Amino acid sequence: MTAATLDQSGAGARTAAVFTGVGVTAPNGLGAQAWWDAVLRGESGIRPVSRFDASGYPVRLAGEVPGFVDADHVPSRLLPQTDRVTRLSLTAAKEALDDAGAHPEQLPEFGAGVVTASSAGGFEFGQRELEALWSKGGQHVSAYQSFAWFYAVNSGQISIRHGLRGPSGVIVTEGAGGLDAVAQARRQLRKGATLMVTGAVDAGICPWGWVAHLAEGGMSPVPDPARAYLPFDADASGHIVGEGGALLVLEDAEAARERGARVYGSFAGYAATFDGPDTPRLADAARLALADAGLAPGDIDVVFADAAGERVADRAEAEAITALFGPRGVPVTAPKTMTGRLLSGGASLDLAAALFSLRDQVIPPTTGTAAPADDCRIDLVTGAPRTGTALRNALVLARGRGGFNAAAVVGAA
């Protein structure tokens, strides 16, 4: 069965899901509005690494969340037991719930839950405790190491802090995770939940994490922040890693309407596929997501690309897009050029960008890339935001290392 078919099975399968809150921690803006304003200005958050001395590594650029003072956002009692990724997640979750005007304590006791995605877990916390183990001995390792490193820790800490006693979980599908988590949240709404906090925030900018990123390959060694990450460009040399992402409030549409919630848009369609041997299946995920939404390719007004920044992967994505829409058949954008690839956080940040695009009727630009390569026959929005076209539906594409593909359709409110 496809992910689309699975999503439609069971009682209450056609429950509509809408987004009512957005929280963002991104390298070019802390907070949803600050980030979106920076995106429309074409302002990049890719800079030399500052969280550790990267001078001895072949890659020395990253997208780091600026101006984040942990104690300003997280209660002091949580600081000893949380990694940076959890602190960023707690910050985004609070902003999303506040933005939604949602009060979990006023919902049915088990009506609100949380599903997030994670690729790295609490990497920096884990490095610090392993260093203590090696240099000082086991008695110097924090008891919090037992969970602070874990992939599910963000879901757990968010649910505890906000009293979200309903369905909870975590998805681990690397770059596809930010969409897969939201799809899992929609499934929980279809099973009877009322409200879900969902999406992804990732962070692993520390020496241990950096070695893992380098070992995976695909990172750009170019030292110029303006030229390092150029998806779909003939000079593409790899990607830049960043930290951050977006958490969103996804609600049952009827429940949101009853409480008078402001709606950004709908989570109209979703599908996931897995690559076979030498067989990329991103195009299949896009087709299935459109079918799940009940839409045709002509109904899509903008595509938010995965944008790997690697020539072979970029060409494959461009071919997937043109197979569905035709050469230069739909505007395509990749605002992640201003943040770097945020692992699982990148796809949920693209969902936030899609929602704001539909709200403001503007397509954000792809920075750095001046024009797509000849073998990437897409209508890439570059240089400046594009206006003048009615935006009703957006398609968001995501790929995770290891063969994961995901696609989601977002509809205007």
Side-chain angles (χ1 to χ4, degrees):
M1 296 179 74
T2 68
T5 350
L6 286 169
D7 245 15
Q8 295 176 9
S9 63
R14 298 314 303 168
T15 299
V18 296
F19 295 101
T20 59
V22 179
V24 169
T25 56
N28 57 342
L30 180 57
Q33 195 58 52
W35 156 76
W36 183 240
D37 289 345
V39 167
L40 294 182
R41 291 194 302 267
E43 185 177 304
S44 177
I46 296 174
R47 304 178 182 88
V49 173
S50 67
R51 292 189 54 76
F52 67 95
D53 181 6
S55 60
Y57 296 86
V59 177
R60 295 184 288 278
L61 298 178
E64 299 175 338
V65 176
F68 185 81
V69 179
D70 299 10
D72 291 346
H73 300 278
V74 178
S76 58
R77 64 181 177 81
L78 291 180
L79 293 176
Q81 59 180 279
T82 51
D83 180 81
R84 179 176 175 87
V85 69
T86 303
R87 298 168 188 175
L88 292 172
S89 296
L90 287 167
T91 302
K94 183 179 186 304
E95 182 186 15
L97 285 166
D98 289 348
D99 185 44
H103 303 283
E105 70 277 4
Q106 297 175 5
L107 299 174
E109 185 177 8
F110 299 103
V114 53
V115 177
T116 66
S118 178
S119 298
F123 237 65
E124 189 173 14
F125 194 105
Q127 175 182 316
R128 185 170 65 247
E129 298 309 315
L130 285 174
E131 287 175 340
L133 174 66
W134 296 333
S135 62
K136 300 177 183 178
Q139 68 273 25
H140 294 277
V141 176
S142 168
Y144 296 124
Q145 168 67 0
S146 61
F147 62 80
W149 68 272
F150 191 46
Y151 296 94
V153 68
N154 297 337
S155 290
Q157 292 284 13
I158 292 167
S159 65
I160 292 169
R161 187 177 187 190
H162 296 285
L164 306 175
R165 301 182 64 193
S168 182
V170 63
I171 304 294
V172 184
T173 52
E174 214 260 343
L179 299 187
D180 294 337
V182 179
Q184 177 65 14
R186 184 178 69 164
R187 293 186 187 106
Q188 297 301 338
L189 294 180
R190 290 176 170 178
K191 292 178 181 178
T194 301
L195 178 150
M196 299 292 295
V197 174
T198 186
V201 172
D202 243 323
I205 301 179
C206 62
W208 192 25
W210 212 242
V211 170
H213 294 314
L214 289 168
E216 283 185 323
M219 293 178 73
S220 171
V222 175
D224 181 359
R227 298 294 299 166
Y229 180 29
L230 304 174
F232 304 110
D233 195 294
D235 294 330
S237 58
H239 66 274
I240 295 297
V241 169
E243 63 179 2
L247 291 175
L248 311 134
V249 174
L250 189 72
E251 291 192 60
D252 172 85
E254 184 177 346
R257 190 180 308 114
E258 287 177 356
R259 74 177 186 86
R262 179 268 329 277
V263 172
Y264 283 105
S266 64
F267 190 64
Y270 160 82
T273 58
F274 196 80
D275 293 340
D278 301 316
T279 309
R281 296 196 61 214
L282 180 64
D284 291 337
R287 277 190 287 269
L288 289 167
L290 288 178
D292 187 34
L295 298 176
D299 297 318
I300 297 298
D301 303 302
V302 59
V303 174
F304 286 78
D306 174 68
E310 302 169 33
R311 291 293 292 121
V312 173
D314 286 346
R315 188 182 307 115
E317 184 173 22
E319 290 172 354
I321 292 170
T322 56
L324 196 58
F325 301 101
R328 301 172 185 85
V330 64
V332 178
T333 188
K336 59 170 60 75
T337 51
M338 293 171 252
T339 64
R341 291 180 62 82
L342 310 183
L343 308 179
S344 62
S348 57
L349 192 62
D350 277 346
L351 277 180
L355 291 169
F356 284 10
S357 289
L358 298 177
R359 180 195 67 182
D360 297 343
Q361 293 292 289
V362 59
I363 301 174
T366 304
T367 59
T369 302
D374 291 341
D375 56 4
C376 295
R377 298 184 298 162
I378 58 174
D379 177 17
L380 191 65
V381 178
T382 62
R386 183 182 296 182
T387 58
T389 302
L391 303 178
R392 304 155 298 164
N393 301 293
L395 175 66
V396 180
L397 302 176
R399 292 174 292 187
R401 288 186 181 274
F404 298 103
N405 304 297
V409 177
V410 177

